[in-house]
Amino acid sequence: MLIVSNWKAYVEDADRAKKLAALAKRLSGKYRKHEIVLAPSYVHLGMLANGNKSKVKYAAQDVSLTTGGAHTGEISAQMLEGIDATYALVGHSERRAMGETDAVVAEKARHALAHGIAPILCVGERERDAGAEYLSLVRAQITAVFAPLTPKERLTTVIAYEPVWAIGKSAADALPPHEVMEMVLYIRKVLGDFMPGKAPAKTKILYGAAVEPANARDLAAGTGIDGLLVGHASVETDTFSALVKALS
Ligand code: PGA
């Protein structure tokens, strides 16, 4: 499993960030079949990812639309490349809620890829409607990003399906496993528009939203996902250890 820990702005203290990183290192040594990826704030990303030689990988929580220049406050993909980030989340719902459009998300993915950083494209509906309009929304979110990419870039891009209405909630509110499976199948079908033959089966698809130790195993088993994107359950040492253990 690819286990991506999205620390959001939960982890504000550098010592706490270091403790969580040390734990991730221990867990990835112990449970070797998992790839653990940490997505700290930019500040802690610089501190932890730079020169990192461990099995743990690092992701940025976002990436700028711009390249270097007169852009106060921006963090470009080249800067992320320079600190050994492997991945960058793009289009997380908490960024989309601040006005980020599909076109912006697509441009961010392009910038990341241009610097050897694999985008983790977050998609997902704000609510579920009886007419299944949410499927078209997910299709549009994927299409906007995948259409302009080269075949190789498409293969590098990871998709994280996160039903926005379940984010931050507890295990009981997560999408039930059989519905996760349906969505994964749907996403692979959509990818078939952009990738030949069996290639869509190779794309890594993660599930995120309300993943906790209590539901991690059920979500992972038999749903066709390649990993999990974990928010609140990834920022407490006990909870995160329990979650990785539950998957093993
Ligand atoms: P959550 O967040 O695990 O706290 O629901 C997931 C996410 O937003 O990536």
Side-chain angles (χ1 to χ4, degrees):
M1 285 269 121
L2 176 59
I3 305 168
V4 184
S5 301
N6 178 9
W7 291 359
K8 309 192 180 190
Y10 287 123
V11 181
E12 294 179 276
D13 180 81
D15 284 336
R16 185 172 167 206
K18 284 182 194 156
K19 276 200 188 98
L20 282 165
L23 171 70
K25 232 189 238 184
R26 285 201 300 280
L27 291 170
S28 62
K30 190 166 175 195
Y31 303 106
R32 302 197 66 85
K33 61 177 182 166
H34 298 314
E35 179 182 340
I36 299 181
V37 178
L38 303 179
S41 69
Y42 283 133
V43 172
H44 297 153
L45 181 68
M47 174 180 83
L48 298 168
N50 210 1
N52 165 52
K53 296 272 180 292
S54 79
K55 204 173 152 259
V56 174
K57 298 278 184 286
Y58 283 90
Q61 294 180 11
D62 192 17
V63 59
S64 178
L65 251 183
T66 57
T67 50
H71 308 293
T72 304
E74 292 297 326
I75 310 283
S76 71
Q78 191 172 345
M79 295 176 199
L80 297 177
E81 183 183 17
I83 55 151
D84 302 323
T86 306
Y87 300 93
L89 301 184
V90 294
H92 189 280
S93 60
E94 286 152 16
R95 309 294 319 170
R96 292 184 191 262
M98 286 188 264
E100 205 167 275
T101 61
D102 282 339
V104 167
V105 177
E107 190 65 4
K108 288 186 167 187
R110 233 178 39 79
H111 277 281
L113 285 159
H115 288 279
I117 293 166
I120 300 177
L121 166 65
C122 302
V123 299
E125 74 283 359
R126 304 201 71 78
E127 56 190 11
R128 285 219 161 180
D129 57 296
E133 275 300 309
Y134 62 89
L135 292 175
S136 318
L137 178 124
V138 168
R139 174 183 284 275
Q141 288 176 330
I142 294 171
T143 301
V145 172
F146 271 69
L149 299 182
T150 64
K152 189 163 168 264
E153 289 172 335
R154 289 173 183 166
L155 281 170
T156 312
T157 303
V158 177
I159 296 184
Y161 169 65
E162 299 202 294
V164 181
W165 45 269
I167 289 179
K169 303 242 174 83
S170 60
D173 300 302
L175 193 65
H178 70 274
E179 290 186 39
V180 172
M181 188 178 80
E182 276 169 26
M183 187 50 100
V184 170
L185 288 172
Y186 178 73
I187 290 173
R188 294 207 195 279
K189 192 169 143 234
V190 172
L191 290 174
D193 291 351
F194 305 101
M195 301 167 118
K198 295 201 164 68
K202 294 202 191 106
T203 296
K204 286 206 163 74
I205 301 181
L206 317 180
Y207 168 81
V211 177
E212 292 186 339
N215 62 359
R217 184 194 274 272
D218 284 349
L219 286 167
T223 53
I225 59 165
D226 302 288
L228 295 163
L229 178 53
V230 190
H232 67 275
S234 73
V235 293
E236 302 293 341
T237 50
D238 291 355
T239 316
F240 190 59
S241 302
L243 191 144
V244 175
K245 193 165 168 223
L247 290 168
S248 304

